[in-house]
Amino acid sequence: MQRHTGRDMWEAEVCQSPRMGSVILGVDGGASNTVCVCIPAAMPFNDPLPVLSRTVAGCSNQNSVGEDRARETLERVMSQALLKARRRRSNVCAVCLAVAGVNHPIDQQRMLDWLREIFPSHVKLFVENDAVAALASGTMGKLHGCVLIAGTGTIAYGFTSDGREARAAGAGPVLGDWGSGYGISAQAMTAVVRAYDGRGPETVLTNNILDFLGLASPDELIGWTYEDQSWARIADLLPVVVESAESGDEVANKILHNSVGELASSVKAVVQRLELGGEDGKHPFPLVMVGKVLEANKRWDIGKEVIDCVTKHYPGAYPIHPKVEPAVGAALLAWNAIASELDGDIRSVQ
């Protein structure tokens, strides 16, 4: 892959004839891909929300690909989004990066310092974990409630109206992101190996996974696994596991049932710590559901199973399946944060 310096990425903006108008950049960086959207700062809350441009690149989780490669990916999607929207960095009034792997104030500050080197001094900068943007995508930029992300990885994150926050899971595959696409797929692969060497029961996962990967035997599965340990690559086996469960395979069904329990436990841990449900659990709060694991299939609906499990303890939880993607949620976070500072014309469209 050709590597680009920051200067290379921004050369095109010098050559273009920019349009007028301030814009906001929202970036969602996960374990699988990175999305950047550019929205107008003078933004009426229409449905659908106006998006001037959208760009996509690969993984920007620094814990997965390293800091340099993560930053290169982030800078690429931002520069391309501005290019497609025919805007320059001088048109930007705010940027919100919501990136997986940002788990500590030190991570946030390093990212903020890096962004300050890229954008002019007037630009407001915000850095959050990607779960925060996912929550905002369901609450139109308001930070209140709980979000459950279950894609390649998984995390539950919550906020109270007075600014307290808590999280559960999200520590990555080594520390057990069970319930994620990676966790489900890794357990399925383990089940295949256990069945092959006699430590576990027979399962249709063996034939289904081997057929999906074009492999001849479970022996080859070992080599396939370690030739590239990308989390997203392994998580791509999720549909095979769901299909196997829907066909009645006991091993696959057990994996999915266990995953429901893990995901629900993450949500309940956050809700309990923040007391989102009140003393009796009946106080209403949004539960935003994001990620491919939570999407309904023919017979298996992991998301619904998780909601059912959570609402048994916290009946006040009301699920939200966002109409906009997390990158838009990131942009909305920035928009809400600077709305009071924008000029009168922009504030008048709220």
Side-chain angles (χ1 to χ4, degrees), residues 4 11 28 64 82 96 104 112 133 138 149 156 167-168 179 189 192-193 201 217 230 241-242 244 256 307 312 319 331:
H4 299 274
E11 283 181 349
D28 170 49
S64 177
L82 286 175
C96 179
H104 191 276
L112 286 169
I149 298 178
R167 58 177 285 172
M189 294 167 65
V192 170
V193 173
S217 76
S230 164
V241 184
V242 174
S244 300
L256 295 188
I307 291 169
K312 286 180 181 178

Side-chain angles (χ1 to χ4, degrees), residues 112-166:
L112 286 169
D113 292 343
W114 170 70
L115 283 174
R116 183 49 66 205
E117 296 175 359
I118 297 174
F119 290 95
S121 59
H122 72 272
V123 180
K124 302 294 184 182
L125 303 174
F126 307 92
V127 175
E128 300 286 355
N129 184 275
D130 63 330
V132 180
L135 174 61
S137 71
T139 60
M140 296 303 291
K142 301 295 193 299
L143 291 182
H144 171 67
C146 183
V147 62
L148 174 64
I149 298 178
T152 298
T154 183
I155 188 173
Y157 214 114
F159 281 85
T160 62
S161 55
D162 61 0
R164 291 182 295 120
E165 60 187 274

Side-chain angles (χ1 to χ4, degrees), residues 204-331:
V204 300
L205 286 168
T206 299
N207 288 334
N208 290 349
I209 288 178
L210 293 181
D211 288 347
F212 181 80
L213 298 177
L215 304 177
S217 76
D219 284 331
E220 296 181 10
L221 181 62
I222 299 173
W224 179 89
T225 300
Y226 292 107
E227 71 182 12
D228 179 357
Q229 297 181 55
S230 164
W231 306 346
R233 174 173 174 262
I234 292 174
D236 285 342
L237 293 174
L238 174 66
V240 182
V241 184
V242 174
E243 179 185 346
S244 300
E246 291 181 336
S247 71
D249 184 73
E250 291 186 6
V251 174
N253 271 287
K254 183 177 180 181
I255 291 172
L256 295 188
H257 278 296
N258 290 342
S259 297
V260 168
E262 290 285 349
L263 295 172
S265 293
S266 295
V267 172
K268 289 186 287 186
V270 169
V271 174
Q272 181 178 5
R273 287 168 61 189
L274 296 178
E275 300 178 318
L276 291 174
E279 293 183 1
D280 58 2
K282 296 180 180 180
H283 186 76
F285 64 90
L287 174 56
V288 180
M289 308 287 283
V290 176
K292 60 187 177 183
V293 173
L294 304 176
E295 297 172 359
N297 295 282
K298 293 179 180 178
R299 298 180 184 176
W300 253 102
D301 189 338
I302 295 176
K304 181 179 181 301
E305 295 287 337
V306 171
I307 291 169
D308 288 346
C309 187
V310 171
T311 53
K312 286 180 181 178
H313 296 84
Y314 299 102
Y318 56 93
I320 295 176
H321 297 277
K323 295 182 180 180
V324 300
E325 63 183 332
V328 176

Side-chain angles (χ1 to χ4, degrees), residues 326-346:
V328 176
L332 289 171
L333 280 173
W335 192 91
N336 280 323
I338 68 169
S340 62
E341 302 177 18
L342 299 175
D343 63 36
D345 291 337
I346 293 178

Side-chain angles (χ1 to χ4, degrees), residues 24-39 51-61 70 72-82 84 95-100 128 130 133-134 137 290 324-332:
I24 293 172
L25 295 180
V27 182
D28 170 49
S32 297
N33 56 38
T34 302
V35 179
C36 178
V37 298
C38 178
I39 66 172
V51 175
L52 300 175
S53 64
R54 179 181 186 272
T55 52
V56 184
C59 173
S60 57
N61 185 336
E72 180 183 324
T73 298
L74 291 167
E75 194 165 0
R76 183 185 308 116
V77 292
M78 291 188 293
S79 63
Q80 290 176 349
L82 286 175
K84 289 176 68 174
V95 178
C96 179
L97 291 190
V99 189
E128 300 286 355
D130 63 330
S137 71
V290 176
V324 300
E325 63 183 332
V328 176
L332 289 171

